[in-house]
Amino acid sequence: MDTTNTPIYATIDGNEACARVAYLLNEVCAIYPITPSSTMAELADQWAVEGKPNLWGEIPLVAEMQSEGGAAGAVHGALQGGALTTTFTASQGLMLMLPNMYKIAGELTPTVFHVAARSLAAQGLSIFGDHADVMAARTTGFGLLGATSVQEAQDLALIAQAATLEARLPFLHFFDGFRTSHEINKIQLIDDTVLRAMIDDDTVRAHRARALNPDHPFIRGTAQNPDVYFQARETVNPYYARTPEIVQQAMDRFAQLTGRHYRLFDYHGTPDAERVIIIMGSGAATVRQTVDYLNQQGEKLGVVTVHLYRPFAAERLLEALPETVRGIAVLDRCKEPGASGEPLYLDVGTAFLEGSNRNNLPTLVGGRYGLSSKEFTPAMVKAVFDNLNSERPRNHFTVGINDDVSQTSLVVDSSFDIEPSTVVRALFYGLGADGTVGANKNSIKIIGDDPAFHAQGYFVYDSKKSGSQTVSHLRFGPEPIDAPYLISSASFVGIHQFAFLKKTDLLAAAAPGATVLLNSPYPADQVWAKLPRPVQQTLIDKALQLHVINASRVARDVGLGQRTNTVLQTCFFALSGVMPRDKAIAHIKHAIEKSYARKGADVVAKNFRAVDQTLDNLSLVSIPASVTSDQERQPPVPASAPDFVRRVTAAMLAGRGDELPVSALPVDGSYPSGTTQYEKRDIAAFVPVWESGLCIQCGNCSFVCPHGVISAKFYDRQQLSQAPGGFPSAPLNARGFPDTRYTLQVSVPDCTGCGLCVEACPAVSPSRSGVKAINMTPREQIGHYANHHQQFFDQLPLNDRARVDFASVRGTQFLEPLFRYSGACAGCGETPYLKLLSQLFGDRMLVANATGCSSIYGGNLPTTPWGTNTEGRGPAWSNSLFEDNAEFGFGFRLSADQHLSLARRLLGELASEVGEELANSILNAPQSSETMIRSQREQVAALKVKLLALDTPMAQDLLSVVDHLIRRSVWIVGGDGWAYDIGYAGLDHVLASGRDVNILVMDTEVYSNTGGQMSKSTPLGAVAKFAAGGKSIAKKDLALQAIAYGNVYVARIAMGANPQQTLLAFREAEAYTGPSLILAYSHCIAHGINMQQGLKQQDLAVGSGHWPLLRYNPVLRQAGDNPFKLDSLRPRMPLRDYTHGELRYRMLERTNPDVAQTLGRLAQESVDLKWSVYEEMATRDGSAFQPATRTDNH
Amino acid sequence: MTMDLSTRYLGLDLAHPVVASASPLSRSLDGMKQLEDGGVSAIVMYSLFEEHIRHDNALFDHFLSQGANSFPEALDYFPTPEGSTEVGPDLYLDQVRLASQALDIPVIASLNGISDHGWIDYARLLEQAGAAGLELNIYYIPADLSLGGREVEERYLSIAALVKEAVTIPVAMKLNPYFSAPGDIAQRLDTIGIDGLVLFNRFYQPDLDIDRLKVAPTLNLSSPLEIRLPLRWLAILHKRINASLAASTGVESADEVVKYLLAGADAVMTTSALLRHGPSHAHALVGGLVEWLDEHGFEGVNQARGTLSQQAVSDPDAFERANYLQVLESYRYP
């Protein structure tokens, strides 16, 4: 019986659906951001800031901790204090919570952890969804309750909370990361009356009564001995035994209140099913629909959706299965290598072994599917059922991949499609920056708000932070939509970027006769001739209806500038048939009024005009009977690329990574370096062009280029005799080189068009206003000559590193970058530092990279910007975790030191055989300059020749470690989230180790990669997620903390303020044989700035005293000098002159001007105080600092 | 005998004619209090620019959504602001409201709109906030070469009509001096019912940086030499139109106040001198005016006003012809 009032619907994603309930039913949330669960925590924080009360009228306390380990500790503590407490997490975050989860469960403490289930990092990290994390937590003693949809993510959040309070078992409520957490769907909201009815306040009071309380004290958390630990562990059995019944009762109560009935094991299908799939998570919905479809065709199939996985109620499972079942496939969304099967499969098997009294046990097989959000489609479900039908069903199979190594995979008929024709299925291809996703989210809301419609949206993004491609999958229809898989047969395809057609097959998923909308610069009567051959062919073969509009022109004409979203959204409504055109247009206009009313009547009017003019400018293209184009799609990589890149990387780049067989992939997660060079993404609308006559060859542009696209070479004039026409060149600006020429080359297809180079250029034309030595020019004005110039430049010899002045910014432009063409944001403030590192030390460098932005643009497949030089040497890069990066890099050092020691000993022992002179020369070689390093390389090369000739075990041993005789440069890099928060303890320990490691913190003062959450580096007064009211605590001064050790080299740098100091600090840090810490100001998109002004903001940060430049060199202390050097001048402007240019500060001025004023004043006081401390330190005698304990330099 | 310094501008009774014109000094309530303490008889607040508000909001929106919906781990970069972050004229309105309550002298708001809606809506809000009057600051450079003079004039007239229709508080128009026939536009505005004219708007004029080959925005404070242009037109318009007249530009000492008064100004506005010497310079200006009136036997401001207006002087042509021959002849080369 449904006792609720009129149902309230909302179109929201799974994270919001779950968080809403969790927030209302808790008093404390202790969290730490991690994809894909971050949104839940952010929403909780936002609601708390807005003063939204929970069910009992209190505003929950939301605390962001320094790690998930910290969050779990705080949750444990809050629970012991008696508060209803929750947290939200995923993946590695859940791993960090495991120790506390055992404690919480062991103490029978009610709580619900809400998890957006995600893969665990193994051979590679993945942010996407599977059950690896949840399954790793199944031994903690938590109850595990799994939701399959956005609706269930809400409903089971409540059922879990009700059950935990009654059962006293803590619960882990989970749903599939991204597929459910990020899917937008129309759901029926639970109202407060249902919440009240579900939660028994007596259980809440009982929870409080069990809390630690000095008024009636006891101790909990004892250390136990062999005499009682075992028995005490068994005390909880009755609680686990009764929990399934408690959960089912909660589900039954919920059904009475809402009409939505869940069971521990939900059976769906024909009562006389012969074949059944048992599954958890969103895949269950796919199976359910496929079962319905196939049963209508006469099959006898069923599916069991596992909701309660722990405690595992085996009897209930067996009861749920029809007696007629003769074949069962258990699907696990995880992999347990080396096990006799995945967890759910083993549990089901045990259930049959222990509990079934059937005479003929059904065939039982297990399989893996959907790891890391791998698609799980009806076609795959059918393949699983087909497997059960075979004479000898394959066990331990995989479905959804081609496993040509272990032959585990089932064959899938990808043409199998079950989607009903009543559902409008729309695909949209856009750029991250073009508003496509935002407009589609808006469309979903518009349609979802209409009582006659249901709507679903899911969005796929690529792994680049600049020029990223987005694909929106939208479904609309009269019935609820529970289709947790991508659209493969679209009735509408919107192509919002014409250029995509040249690279990717965007019509592959178009259903025959589908409507295609193309945003085209060419009108309907000209566009056909501009389409590549395969596109023309598909349009004809599938009889597609092609409509074009020049959305950019319409938007421009009505005064909307480059904002095409209203235009393209109108096209969709007009063409898709989701609702009558007039009604659709009325809906759009209503939405426009709602969105833009506060921006002024004329903004509304402009958007209305855009809607009206869209309809006038939308044209149907007449499709000829035959193909006329001979233009093929551009290959994703050039034919000259290495084999692996052509076979594997290219497939990923072309969006065909799903087709790669297991055999194509490395077994241990090792991938080739330097692969971004083959992408040639060509994403910039404007690119820099060099003015050779104006250039003073200072190297600033090359120095600051975040994507490493600007290179310089000097070369003999005679080389120009082979140069292509117009190849720009200038005399080298240096005395004594009359026959030497200089060229600055811009790799146009790799440029993101950020314009930092132009901002950094100091050379201004004396006769042409606004013209510098490097200027942004429209991409389309760059002719094909650019390719020829690039090719000629590439074949010019690299400059001899021994002839380059490493000590000057000017000199660095001649050093080959071994980090370039990354997918970082256009104008990124971090990457110039990494590029510089790679130029200076790249050929002998080990990089330990903390998880975060830098590990994503550095190591997210398909490609990596970390490259090699012509000798094949380059940075050796790896990412371990987020929290352990300092320790990880420290391990590099330990290994290098140990193997250096081994190599030196072996060389000493082999000296007589390889030659005493060579051995001694190698053992005693100084390696403090590039020339010395080159010399040592030559000696080691000679040694290798001799060792190979010796061919003795000892010689082979030495050969295995001989490369260590070249001094290795260990760099530990990451962002402030790692260094200030989650990895701080490790960083501190490594700093205190005295070992020769170099730590580079690219400080954006916020968690950038996960979307702008506050870190302890976030400045006072800045707004960030979890500091929506402005951060009220000053930024941690990591420099002073490190200086306190005395033997740590410390520098605070800002490339935009003083590039020379940056260079100096890098070189000093690397030369110092102890630990070094460099804090590098990194402007960031999360600051809310014009990224082209990033360098200027850096300069203002320094000029205002927010970011004083400094170096602390223990070597100076050892020499009796003051080791503390203040490299920037006394603040020359108030802090506000810097902060006013950044949204992160200005936001508070708008949301809470009084607080903004107060915090602004405190921030200024803080800056003044900091400066006075530094100034005093800069004038101290050296003896006033801790003595330095290391003196040996290279 | 007590000198009667009182005057009437925009229908407002002022203690004396020295008024603070729109400037950074009125950007805060404290600044306005200092101006009052310094001795001005009314304050025209700094201008509320509709375009600035819109641009700022657009920029704010842009940065708030920059990078959004592009990358799966970061679908946005800022917390969702509580309520709207649109900045309307609220801060300005608050200041009008507070200043009107806190000060004893009239507070005249200054408005620069870019759309009809902007002019009308903001004017109404300013009236509701308690502004004693409204000054329309049409800061408009007709850089479009296809735009005729008549069209520009029509724009001024249309704005004046819109705002007059929208509010009941007195409305002044700050004119620019570049009309072909300033007298004609003044008269047509007068016909619409404008309550006052301010002569003249002194547009910022960019300079050129000849070293960096760039246009260099500059702000030079006005000097007494610049009073001649408004002086002439005040003298011409005095008693020829109903609207009250305010002089603006070039007031450094009491001499300029006196000159404007003699030409026919109902109020004399100053910014540069107050910025140069501080708000209390208003006391000096008023003191100098009193001294001059006293020395020259005038009983008050009203008696002196317009004494040297075109209608009052013996040689009215002096304001019409440039008398350039006479001027040229009087010039002596160094």
Side-chain angles (χ1 to χ4, degrees), chain A residues 856-1152:
Chain A
I856 296 302
Y857 61 64
N860 200 334
L861 292 181
T863 58
T864 179
W866 294 98
T868 56
N869 64 16
T870 50
E871 296 168 336
R873 295 193 174 89
W877 179 95
S878 188
N879 158 247
S880 175
L881 298 169
F882 191 13
E883 60 271 22
D884 73 341
N885 190 49
E887 301 93 316
F888 184 52
F890 181 69
F892 289 0
R893 183 78 266 164
L894 293 179
S895 187
D897 287 350
Q898 187 68 5
H899 281 173
L900 173 63
S901 172
L902 175 62
R904 291 179 66 86
R905 179 173 66 77
L906 291 172
L907 181 55
E909 291 175 16
L910 285 167
S912 58
E913 293 173 67
V914 299
E916 295 281 353
E917 191 179 342
L918 177 62
N920 287 333
S921 180
I922 289 174
L923 290 172
N924 298 317
Q927 297 187 59
S928 59
S929 72
E930 187 67 16
T931 311
M932 293 172 186
I933 300 270
R934 302 300 298 177
S935 169
Q936 181 76 335
R937 281 200 193 286
E938 287 168 14
Q939 295 192 104
V940 171
L943 174 62
K944 283 182 181 176
V945 172
K946 295 196 173 190
L947 292 172
L948 283 169
L950 281 177
D951 195 24
T952 62
M954 188 180 284
Q956 285 171 0
D957 279 351
L958 180 51
L959 269 172
S960 71
V961 292
V962 73
D963 289 338
H964 284 275
L965 292 167
I966 314 293
R967 186 165 69 84
R968 290 211 168 161
S969 191
V970 174
W971 285 86
I972 297 168
V973 305
D976 48 284
W978 156 65
Y980 285 68
D981 288 357
I982 195 168
Y984 177 64
L987 181 130
D988 178 59
H989 193 83
V990 171
L991 288 177
S993 73
R995 292 274 174 184
D996 183 9
V997 294
N998 308 291
I999 300 173
L1000 171 64
V1001 181
M1002 293 172 290
D1003 194 345
T1004 61
E1005 306 187 318
V1006 74
Y1007 287 80
S1008 301
N1009 192 55
T1010 47
Q1013 295 84 5
M1014 169 183 70
S1015 78
K1016 283 197 284 298
S1017 176
T1018 303
L1020 182 64
V1023 163
K1025 289 173 182 168
F1026 304 111
K1031 181 148 178 275
S1032 56
I1033 306 292
K1035 176 187 172 87
K1036 176 157 72 178
D1037 195 332
L1038 208 51
L1040 280 187
Q1041 293 184 0
I1043 285 169
Y1045 280 120
N1047 69 335
V1048 180
Y1049 176 90
V1050 182
R1052 190 186 284 131
I1053 63 175
M1055 180 177 278
N1058 189 340
Q1060 191 61 41
Q1061 190 251 4
T1062 293
L1063 177 61
L1064 183 60
F1066 274 22
R1067 297 181 70 236
E1068 286 182 348
E1070 208 278 337
Y1072 180 61
T1073 55
S1076 304
L1077 174 69
I1078 299 177
L1079 304 168
Y1081 186 100
S1082 305
H1083 62 258
C1084 179
I1085 195 168
H1087 293 177
I1089 58 167
N1090 175 356
M1091 290 291 273
Q1092 189 166 349
Q1093 301 295 319
L1095 298 170
K1096 184 182 165 199
Q1097 281 307 114
Q1098 291 198 21
D1099 191 41
L1100 293 175
V1102 173
S1104 64
H1106 169 65
W1107 192 267
L1109 303 181
L1110 61 87
R1111 283 170 299 133
Y1112 181 92
N1113 193 342
V1115 174
L1116 296 176
R1117 168 68 178 85
Q1118 202 64 31
D1121 296 328
N1122 183 344
F1124 185 88
K1125 304 287 181 202
L1126 207 39
D1127 289 329
S1128 53
L1129 300 172
R1130 185 173 289 187
R1132 62 179 191 270
M1133 65 186 78
L1135 186 65
R1136 189 176 154 70
D1137 285 5
Y1138 155 63
T1139 58
H1140 191 67
E1142 305 201 348
L1143 187 75
R1144 56 177 170 155
Y1145 297 102
R1146 292 196 63 199
M1147 196 160 172
L1148 197 58
E1149 291 173 11
R1150 296 199 169 196
T1151 53
N1152 199 337

Side-chain angles (χ1 to χ4, degrees), chain A residues 35 46 127 432 441 461 468 598-599 602 765-767 769 1008-1011 1025 1086 1089-1090 1143 1146-1147 1150, chain B residues 54 56-57 60-61 63-64 66 69-82 84-87 213:
Chain A
T35 308
Q46 181 187 321
I127 59 169
K441 286 182 175 175
Y461 309 86
S468 66
R598 277 190 66 93
K599 293 183 195 298
D602 64 323
S765 167
S767 57
S769 178
S1008 301
N1009 192 55
T1010 47
K1025 289 173 182 168
I1089 58 167
N1090 175 356
L1143 187 75
R1146 292 196 63 199
M1147 196 160 172
R1150 296 199 169 196
Chain B
R54 289 217 183 167
D56 214 35
N57 283 329
F60 195 91
D61 279 351
F63 289 139
L64 197 60
Q66 185 175 233
N69 291 317
S70 296
F71 180 69
E73 297 207 67
L75 297 180
D76 51 41
Y77 288 93
F78 287 95
T80 307
E82 192 185 347
S84 171
T85 54
E86 292 277 312
V87 168
L213 286 185

